[in-house]
Coordinates of all heavy atoms in Angstrom, one line a residue:
M1 N 70.7 -60.8 86.7 CA 70.0 -60.7 85.4 C 68.6 -60.1 85.7 O 68.2 -59.2 84.9 CB 69.9 -62.1 84.8 CG 69.2 -62.0 83.4 SD 68.9 -63.6 82.7 CE 70.3 -63.6 81.6
I2 N 68.0 -60.5 86.7 CA 66.6 -59.9 87.0 C 66.7 -58.4 87.3 O 66.0 -57.6 86.8 CB 66.0 -60.7 88.2 CG1 65.6 -62.1 87.8 CG2 64.7 -59.9 88.7 CD1 65.1 -63.0 88.9
A3 N 67.7 -58.0 88.1 CA 67.9 -56.6 88.4 C 68.2 -55.8 87.1 O 67.7 -54.7 86.9 CB 69.0 -56.4 89.4
A4 N 69.0 -56.4 86.2 CA 69.4 -55.7 85.0 C 68.2 -55.5 84.0 O 68.1 -54.5 83.4 CB 70.6 -56.4 84.3
E5 N 67.4 -56.6 83.9 CA 66.3 -56.6 82.9 C 65.1 -56.0 83.5 O 64.2 -55.6 82.7 CB 66.1 -58.0 82.4 CG 67.2 -58.6 81.7 CD 67.6 -57.9 80.4 OE1 66.7 -57.3 79.7 OE2 68.8 -57.9 80.0
E6 N 64.9 -55.9 84.8 CA 63.7 -55.4 85.5 C 62.4 -55.9 84.9 O 61.5 -55.1 84.6 CB 63.7 -53.8 85.4 CG 65.0 -53.2 86.0 CD 65.0 -51.7 85.9 OE1 64.2 -51.1 85.2 OE2 65.8 -51.1 86.7
P7 N 62.2 -57.2 84.9 CA 60.9 -57.8 84.4 C 59.8 -57.6 85.5 O 60.1 -57.4 86.6 CB 61.2 -59.3 84.3 CG 62.2 -59.5 85.4 CD 63.1 -58.3 85.4
A8 N 58.6 -57.6 85.0 CA 57.4 -57.5 85.9 C 57.2 -58.8 86.7 O 56.8 -58.8 87.8 CB 56.2 -57.2 85.1
L9 N 57.6 -59.9 86.1 CA 57.6 -61.2 86.7 C 58.5 -62.2 86.0 O 59.0 -61.9 84.9 CB 56.1 -61.8 86.8 CG 55.4 -62.0 85.4 CD1 55.7 -63.5 85.0 CD2 54.0 -61.8 85.6
V10 N 58.8 -63.3 86.7 CA 59.6 -64.3 86.2 C 58.8 -65.6 86.1 O 58.1 -66.0 87.0 CB 60.9 -64.6 87.1 CG1 61.7 -65.8 86.6 CG2 61.7 -63.3 87.1
V11 N 58.9 -66.3 84.9 CA 58.2 -67.6 84.7 C 59.2 -68.7 84.6 O 60.1 -68.6 83.8 CB 57.3 -67.5 83.5 CG1 56.6 -68.9 83.3 CG2 56.3 -66.4 83.5
V12 N 59.1 -69.7 85.5 CA 60.0 -70.8 85.5 C 59.2 -72.1 85.1 O 58.2 -72.3 85.6 CB 60.6 -71.0 86.9 CG1 61.5 -72.3 86.9 CG2 61.4 -69.8 87.3
G13 N 59.7 -72.8 84.1 CA 59.1 -74.0 83.7 C 59.2 -75.1 84.7 O 60.2 -75.3 85.3
M14 N 58.1 -75.7 85.0 CA 58.0 -76.8 86.0 C 58.0 -78.1 85.3 O 57.1 -78.4 84.5 CB 56.8 -76.7 86.9 CG 56.7 -77.7 88.0 SD 58.1 -77.8 89.1 CE 57.9 -76.2 89.9
P15 N 59.1 -78.9 85.4 CA 59.2 -80.2 84.7 C 58.4 -81.3 85.3 O 59.0 -82.2 85.9 CB 60.7 -80.4 84.7 CG 61.2 -79.8 86.0 CD 60.3 -78.6 86.2
L16 N 57.1 -81.3 85.2 CA 56.2 -82.3 85.7 C 56.4 -83.6 84.8 O 56.8 -83.5 83.7 CB 54.8 -81.9 85.7 CG 54.5 -80.6 86.5 CD1 53.0 -80.2 86.3 CD2 54.8 -80.8 88.0
T17 N 56.1 -84.7 85.4 CA 56.1 -86.0 84.6 C 54.9 -85.9 83.7 O 54.0 -85.1 83.7 CB 56.0 -87.2 85.6 OG1 54.7 -87.2 86.1 CG2 57.0 -87.2 86.6
L18 N 54.9 -86.9 82.7 CA 53.8 -86.9 81.8 C 52.4 -87.1 82.4 O 51.4 -86.7 81.9 CB 54.0 -88.1 80.8 CG 55.2 -87.9 79.8 CD1 55.4 -89.1 78.9 CD2 55.0 -86.6 79.0
R19 N 52.4 -87.7 83.6 CA 51.2 -87.8 84.4 C 50.9 -86.6 85.2 O 49.9 -86.6 86.0 CB 51.2 -89.1 85.2 CG 51.3 -90.3 84.4 CD 51.2 -91.5 85.3 NE 51.2 -92.7 84.5 CZ 51.3 -93.9 84.9 NH1 51.4 -94.2 86.2 NH2 51.2 -94.9 84.1
G20 N 51.7 -85.6 85.2 CA 51.5 -84.4 86.0 C 52.0 -84.4 87.4 O 51.7 -83.5 88.2
A21 N 52.8 -85.4 87.7 CA 53.3 -85.6 89.1 C 54.6 -84.8 89.2 O 55.3 -84.5 88.2 CB 53.5 -87.0 89.4
R22 N 55.0 -84.5 90.4 CA 56.3 -83.9 90.7 C 57.3 -84.9 91.0 O 57.3 -85.5 92.0 CB 56.1 -82.9 91.9 CG 55.4 -81.6 91.5 CD 55.3 -80.8 92.7 NE 55.0 -79.4 92.4 CZ 53.9 -78.9 91.9 NH1 52.9 -79.7 91.7 NH2 53.7 -77.6 91.6
G23 N 58.2 -85.1 90.0 CA 59.4 -86.0 90.2 C 60.6 -85.3 90.8 O 60.5 -84.2 91.3
E24 N 61.7 -86.0 90.6 CA 63.0 -85.4 91.2 C 63.3 -84.1 90.6 O 63.7 -83.1 91.3 CB 64.1 -86.4 91.0 CG 65.4 -86.0 91.7 CD 66.5 -87.1 91.5 OE1 66.1 -88.3 91.5 OE2 67.6 -86.7 91.5
Q25 N 63.2 -84.0 89.2 CA 63.5 -82.7 88.6 C 62.6 -81.6 89.0 O 63.1 -80.4 89.2 CB 63.4 -82.8 87.1 CG 64.6 -83.5 86.4 CD 64.5 -83.5 84.9 OE1 63.5 -83.9 84.4 NE2 65.5 -82.9 84.3
A26 N 61.3 -81.8 89.2 CA 60.4 -80.8 89.7 C 60.8 -80.4 91.1 O 60.7 -79.2 91.4 CB 59.0 -81.3 89.6
M27 N 61.2 -81.3 91.9 CA 61.6 -80.9 93.3 C 62.8 -80.1 93.3 O 62.9 -79.1 94.1 CB 61.7 -82.2 94.2 CG 60.4 -82.9 94.5 SD 60.6 -84.2 95.6 CE 60.9 -85.6 94.5
E28 N 63.8 -80.4 92.4 CA 64.9 -79.5 92.3 C 64.6 -78.1 91.8 O 65.1 -77.1 92.2 CB 66.0 -80.2 91.4 CG 66.6 -81.4 92.0 CD 67.6 -82.0 91.0 OE1 68.1 -81.4 90.1 OE2 67.9 -83.2 91.2
T29 N 63.6 -78.1 90.8 CA 63.2 -76.8 90.3 C 62.5 -76.0 91.4 O 62.6 -74.8 91.5 CB 62.2 -77.0 89.1 OG1 62.9 -77.7 88.1 CG2 61.7 -75.7 88.5
E30 N 61.6 -76.7 92.2 CA 61.0 -76.0 93.3 C 62.0 -75.4 94.3 O 61.8 -74.2 94.8 CB 60.0 -76.9 94.1 CG 58.8 -77.2 93.2 CD 57.9 -78.3 93.9 OE1 58.4 -79.1 94.7 OE2 56.7 -78.4 93.5
A31 N 63.1 -76.1 94.6 CA 64.1 -75.5 95.4 C 64.8 -74.3 94.8 O 65.0 -73.3 95.5 CB 65.2 -76.6 95.7
F32 N 65.0 -74.4 93.5 CA 65.6 -73.2 92.8 C 64.6 -72.0 92.8 O 65.0 -70.9 93.1 CB 65.8 -73.6 91.3 CG 66.1 -72.4 90.4 CD1 67.3 -71.8 90.5 CD2 65.2 -71.9 89.6 CE1 67.6 -70.7 89.7 CE2 65.4 -70.9 88.8 CZ 66.6 -70.2 88.8
V33 N 63.3 -72.3 92.6 CA 62.3 -71.2 92.7 C 62.3 -70.6 94.1 O 62.2 -69.4 94.2 CB 60.9 -71.8 92.2 CG1 59.8 -70.8 92.5 CG2 61.0 -72.1 90.7
D34 N 62.3 -71.4 95.1 CA 62.4 -70.9 96.5 C 63.6 -69.9 96.7 O 63.4 -68.8 97.2 CB 62.4 -72.0 97.5 CG 61.1 -72.7 97.6 OD1 60.0 -72.2 97.2 OD2 61.1 -73.8 98.2
R35 N 64.7 -70.3 96.2 CA 65.9 -69.5 96.3 C 65.8 -68.2 95.5 O 66.1 -67.1 95.9 CB 67.2 -70.3 95.9 CG 67.6 -71.4 96.8 CD 69.0 -71.9 96.5 NE 69.1 -72.4 95.1 CZ 68.8 -73.6 94.6 NH1 68.3 -74.5 95.4 NH2 69.0 -73.9 93.4
L36 N 65.2 -68.3 94.3 CA 65.0 -67.2 93.4 C 64.0 -66.2 94.1 O 64.2 -65.0 94.1 CB 64.4 -67.6 92.1 CG 64.3 -66.6 91.0 CD1 65.7 -66.0 90.7 CD2 63.8 -67.3 89.7
R37 N 62.9 -66.7 94.7 CA 61.9 -65.8 95.4 C 62.6 -65.1 96.5 O 62.3 -64.0 96.8 CB 60.8 -66.7 95.8 CG 59.8 -67.0 94.7 CD 58.7 -67.9 95.2 NE 57.7 -68.1 94.1 CZ 57.0 -69.2 93.9 NH1 57.2 -70.2 94.8 NH2 56.2 -69.4 92.9
N38 N 63.5 -65.8 97.3 CA 64.1 -65.2 98.4 C 65.2 -64.1 98.0 O 65.5 -63.2 98.8 CB 64.8 -66.3 99.3 CG 63.8 -67.1 100.0 OD1 62.7 -66.6 100.4 ND2 64.1 -68.3 100.3
A39 N 65.7 -64.3 96.8 CA 66.8 -63.4 96.3 C 66.2 -62.2 95.5 O 67.0 -61.3 95.2 CB 67.8 -64.2 95.5
S40 N 64.9 -62.2 95.2 CA 64.4 -61.1 94.3 C 63.0 -60.7 94.8 O 62.3 -61.4 95.5 CB 64.2 -61.7 92.9 OG 63.6 -60.8 92.1
S41 N 62.7 -59.4 94.5 CA 61.4 -58.9 94.9 C 60.4 -59.1 93.8 O 59.2 -58.7 93.9 CB 61.6 -57.4 95.3 OG 62.0 -56.7 94.2
V42 N 60.9 -59.6 92.7 CA 60.0 -59.8 91.5 C 59.2 -61.1 91.7 O 59.7 -62.1 92.1 CB 60.8 -59.9 90.2 CG1 60.0 -60.2 89.0 CG2 61.6 -58.6 90.0
P43 N 57.9 -61.1 91.4 CA 57.1 -62.3 91.6 C 57.6 -63.4 90.6 O 58.0 -63.1 89.5 CB 55.7 -61.9 91.1 CG 55.7 -60.4 91.2 CD 57.1 -59.9 91.0
V44 N 57.7 -64.6 91.2 CA 58.2 -65.8 90.4 C 57.0 -66.8 90.3 O 56.5 -67.2 91.3 CB 59.4 -66.4 91.1 CG1 59.9 -67.6 90.3 CG2 60.5 -65.4 91.2
H45 N 56.7 -67.1 89.1 CA 55.6 -68.1 88.8 C 56.2 -69.4 88.2 O 57.1 -69.3 87.4 CB 54.5 -67.5 87.9 CG 53.9 -66.3 88.4 ND1 52.7 -66.4 89.2 CD2 54.2 -65.0 88.3 CE1 52.3 -65.2 89.5 NE2 53.2 -64.3 89.0
T46 N 55.6 -70.5 88.5 CA 56.0 -71.7 87.8 C 54.8 -72.1 86.9 O 53.7 -71.7 87.1 CB 56.2 -72.9 88.8 OG1 55.0 -73.1 89.5 CG2 57.4 -72.6 89.7
Y47 N 55.2 -72.8 85.8 CA 54.2 -73.1 84.8 C 54.6 -74.5 84.2 O 55.8 -74.7 83.9 CB 54.1 -72.1 83.7 CG 52.8 -72.2 82.9 CD1 51.6 -71.9 83.4 CD2 52.9 -72.7 81.6 CE1 50.4 -72.1 82.6 CE2 51.8 -72.8 80.8 CZ 50.6 -72.5 81.3 OH 49.4 -72.7 80.5
D48 N 53.7 -75.3 84.0 CA 53.9 -76.7 83.5 C 54.6 -76.6 82.1 O 54.1 -76.0 81.2 CB 52.5 -77.4 83.3 CG 52.6 -78.8 82.8 OD1 53.7 -79.3 82.5 OD2 51.5 -79.4 82.7
E49 N 55.8 -77.2 82.0 CA 56.5 -77.2 80.8 C 56.4 -78.5 80.0 O 57.2 -78.6 79.0 CB 58.0 -76.8 81.0 CG 58.8 -77.9 81.7 CD 60.2 -77.6 81.8 OE1 60.6 -76.4 81.8 OE2 61.0 -78.5 81.9
R50 N 55.5 -79.4 80.4 CA 55.4 -80.6 79.6 C 55.1 -80.3 78.1 O 54.3 -79.4 77.8 CB 54.3 -81.5 80.1 CG 54.6 -82.1 81.4 CD 53.4 -82.9 81.9 NE 52.4 -82.0 82.4 CZ 51.2 -82.4 82.8 NH1 50.9 -83.7 82.8 NH2 50.3 -81.5 83.2
F51 N 55.7 -81.0 77.3 CA 55.5 -81.0 75.8 C 56.1 -79.7 75.1 O 56.0 -79.7 73.9 CB 54.0 -81.1 75.4 CG 53.4 -82.3 76.1 CD1 52.4 -82.1 77.0 CD2 53.8 -83.6 75.7 CE1 51.8 -83.2 77.6 CE2 53.2 -84.7 76.3 CZ 52.2 -84.5 77.3
T52 N 56.7 -78.8 75.8 CA 57.3 -77.6 75.2 C 58.4 -78.0 74.3 O 58.6 -77.5 73.2 CB 57.7 -76.5 76.2 OG1 58.6 -77.1 77.1 CG2 56.5 -75.9 76.9
S53 N 59.3 -79.0 74.8 CA 60.4 -79.4 73.9 C 59.9 -80.2 72.7 O 60.5 -80.0 71.6 CB 61.3 -80.3 74.8 OG 61.9 -79.6 75.8
V54 N 58.8 -80.9 72.8 CA 58.3 -81.6 71.7 C 57.8 -80.6 70.6 O 58.1 -80.7 69.5 CB 57.2 -82.6 72.1 CG1 56.5 -83.2 70.9 CG2 57.7 -83.7 73.0
L55 N 57.0 -79.6 71.1 CA 56.5 -78.6 70.2 C 57.7 -77.8 69.5 O 57.5 -77.4 68.4 CB 55.6 -77.6 71.0 CG 54.3 -78.1 71.5 CD1 53.7 -77.1 72.4 CD2 53.4 -78.4 70.3
A56 N 58.8 -77.6 70.2 CA 59.9 -76.9 69.7 C 60.9 -77.7 69.0 O 61.9 -77.1 68.5 CB 60.6 -76.2 70.9
G57 N 60.7 -79.0 68.9 CA 61.6 -79.8 68.2 C 63.0 -79.9 68.8 O 64.0 -80.1 68.2
G58 N 63.0 -79.8 70.2 CA 64.3 -79.8 70.9 C 65.1 -78.5 71.0 O 66.1 -78.5 71.6
D59 N 64.6 -77.5 70.4 CA 65.2 -76.2 70.5 C 64.8 -75.5 71.8 O 63.7 -75.1 72.0 CB 64.8 -75.3 69.2 CG 65.4 -74.0 69.2 OD1 66.0 -73.5 70.2 OD2 65.2 -73.3 68.1
D60 N 65.8 -75.3 72.6 CA 65.5 -74.7 74.0 C 64.9 -73.3 73.9 O 64.0 -73.0 74.7 CB 66.8 -74.6 74.8 CG 67.2 -76.0 75.3 OD1 66.4 -76.9 75.3 OD2 68.4 -76.1 75.7
A61 N 65.4 -72.5 73.0 CA 64.8 -71.1 72.9 C 63.4 -71.1 72.5 O 62.5 -70.4 73.0 CB 65.7 -70.2 72.0
R62 N 63.1 -72.0 71.5 CA 61.7 -72.1 71.0 C 60.8 -72.8 72.1 O 59.7 -72.4 72.2 CB 61.7 -73.0 69.7 CG 60.4 -72.9 69.0 CD 60.4 -73.6 67.7 NE 61.1 -72.8 66.8 CZ 61.5 -73.2 65.6 NH1 61.3 -74.4 65.2 NH2 62.1 -72.4 64.7
A63 N 61.4 -73.7 72.9 CA 60.6 -74.3 74.0 C 60.3 -73.2 75.0 O 59.1 -73.2 75.5 CB 61.4 -75.4 74.6
A64 N 61.2 -72.4 75.3 CA 61.0 -71.3 76.2 C 59.9 -70.3 75.7 O 59.0 -69.9 76.5 CB 62.2 -70.5 76.5
A65 N 59.9 -70.1 74.4 CA 58.9 -69.2 73.8 C 57.5 -69.9 73.9 O 56.5 -69.2 74.2 CB 59.2 -68.9 72.3
H66 N 57.4 -71.2 73.7 CA 56.1 -71.9 73.8 C 55.6 -71.8 75.3 O 54.5 -71.6 75.5 CB 56.3 -73.4 73.4 CG 56.2 -73.6 72.0 ND1 55.1 -73.5 71.2 CD2 57.2 -74.0 71.1 CE1 55.3 -73.7 70.0 NE2 56.6 -74.1 69.9
L67 N 56.6 -72.0 76.2 CA 56.2 -71.9 77.6 C 55.6 -70.5 78.0 O 54.6 -70.4 78.6 CB 57.4 -72.2 78.5 CG 57.2 -72.0 80.0 CD1 56.5 -73.2 80.6 CD2 58.5 -71.8 80.7
L68 N 56.3 -69.5 77.6 CA 55.9 -68.1 77.9 C 54.6 -67.8 77.2 O 53.7 -67.2 77.8 CB 57.0 -67.1 77.5 CG 56.7 -65.7 77.8 CD1 56.4 -65.5 79.3 CD2 57.8 -64.8 77.4
S69 N 54.4 -68.2 75.9 CA 53.2 -68.0 75.2 C 52.0 -68.7 75.9 O 50.9 -68.1 76.1 CB 53.3 -68.5 73.8 OG 52.1 -68.4 73.1
S70 N 52.2 -69.9 76.3 CA 51.1 -70.7 77.0 C 50.8 -70.0 78.3 O 49.6 -69.9 78.7 CB 51.6 -72.1 77.2 OG 51.7 -72.8 76.0
F71 N 51.8 -69.6 79.0 CA 51.6 -68.9 80.3 C 50.8 -67.6 80.1 O 49.8 -67.4 80.8 CB 52.9 -68.6 81.0 CG 52.8 -67.8 82.3 CD1 52.4 -68.4 83.5 CD2 52.9 -66.4 82.3 CE1 52.3 -67.7 84.6 CE2 52.8 -65.7 83.4 CZ 52.4 -66.3 84.6
L72 N 51.2 -66.8 79.1 CA 50.4 -65.6 78.9 C 49.0 -65.8 78.4 O 48.1 -65.1 78.9 CB 51.2 -64.7 77.8 CG 52.6 -64.2 78.3 CD1 53.3 -63.6 77.1 CD2 52.4 -63.2 79.4
E73 N 48.8 -66.8 77.6 CA 47.4 -67.2 77.2 C 46.6 -67.6 78.5 O 45.4 -67.2 78.6 CB 47.4 -68.3 76.2 CG 47.8 -67.9 74.8 CD 47.8 -69.1 73.9 OE1 47.0 -70.0 74.0 OE2 48.6 -69.0 73.0
W74 N 47.2 -68.4 79.3 CA 46.5 -68.8 80.6 C 46.3 -67.6 81.5 O 45.2 -67.5 82.0 CB 47.4 -69.9 81.3 CG 46.9 -70.2 82.6 CD1 45.9 -71.1 82.9 CD2 47.4 -69.8 83.9 NE1 45.8 -71.2 84.3 CE2 46.7 -70.4 84.9 CE3 48.4 -68.9 84.3 CZ2 46.9 -70.2 86.2 CZ3 48.7 -68.7 85.6 CH2 47.9 -69.3 86.6
Q75 N 47.2 -66.8 81.6 CA 47.1 -65.6 82.4 C 46.0 -64.7 82.0 O 45.2 -64.2 82.7 CB 48.4 -64.8 82.4 CG 48.6 -63.8 83.4 CD 49.0 -64.3 84.8 OE1 49.8 -65.2 85.0 NE2 48.4 -63.6 85.8
S76 N 45.8 -64.5 80.6 CA 44.8 -63.6 80.1 C 43.4 -64.2 80.1 O 42.4 -63.5 80.1 CB 45.2 -63.2 78.6 OG 45.1 -64.3 77.8
S77 N 43.3 -65.5 80.3 CA 42.0 -66.2 80.3 C 41.5 -66.3 81.7 O 40.3 -66.7 81.9 CB 42.1 -67.6 79.7 OG 42.8 -68.4 80.6
R78 N 42.3 -65.9 82.7 CA 41.8 -65.9 84.1 C 41.0 -64.7 84.4 O 41.2 -63.6 83.9 CB 43.0 -66.0 85.1 CG 43.8 -67.2 84.9 CD 45.0 -67.2 85.7 NE 44.7 -67.2 87.1 CZ 45.5 -66.8 88.1 NH1 46.8 -66.5 87.8 NH2 45.2 -66.8 89.3
P79 N 39.9 -64.9 85.2 CA 39.1 -63.7 85.6 C 39.8 -62.7 86.4 O 40.7 -62.8 87.0 CB 37.9 -64.3 86.3 CG 38.3 -65.7 86.6 CD 39.5 -66.1 85.8

């Protein structure tokens, strides 16, 4: 999919706990991200996905849009 779409980067939601800790799901996601980075030359970034499902009302596509929007806002605010 990455090769077909040719994105500039890939953003993967990091499922941190409500306290911001890395639980079992986050460790599994980190393993996935490592495999993805090894399989692709495109930069892969992780971003905190806490509360995206709440904001989206349980809609996965809308949650992904919130994640990407937040990531882009954060990216543009960096010096």
Side-chain angles (χ1 to χ4, degrees):
M1 181 183 263
I2 292 172
E5 297 296 328
E6 299 180 347
L9 61 93
V10 174
V11 180
V12 177
M14 183 57 66
L16 302 174
T17 67
L18 292 177
R19 292 185 177 174
R22 284 178 161 73
E24 186 175 329
Q25 281 187 303
M27 288 187 272
E28 289 178 22
T29 300
E30 288 172 337
F32 167 76
V33 168
D34 286 342
R35 290 191 307 274
L36 190 58
R37 284 178 175 145
N38 288 330
S40 174
S41 60
V42 175
V44 179
H45 298 271
T46 59
Y47 194 73
D48 182 359
E49 70 173 23
R50 286 179 290 175
F51 308 114
T52 56
S53 293
V54 172
L55 290 170
D59 180 349
D60 287 342
R62 191 174 283 166
H66 279 290
L67 174 79
L68 184 56
S69 176
S70 294
F71 175 81
L72 292 172
E73 285 179 33
W74 172 77
Q75 194 78 42
S76 68
S77 69
R78 296 175 62 198

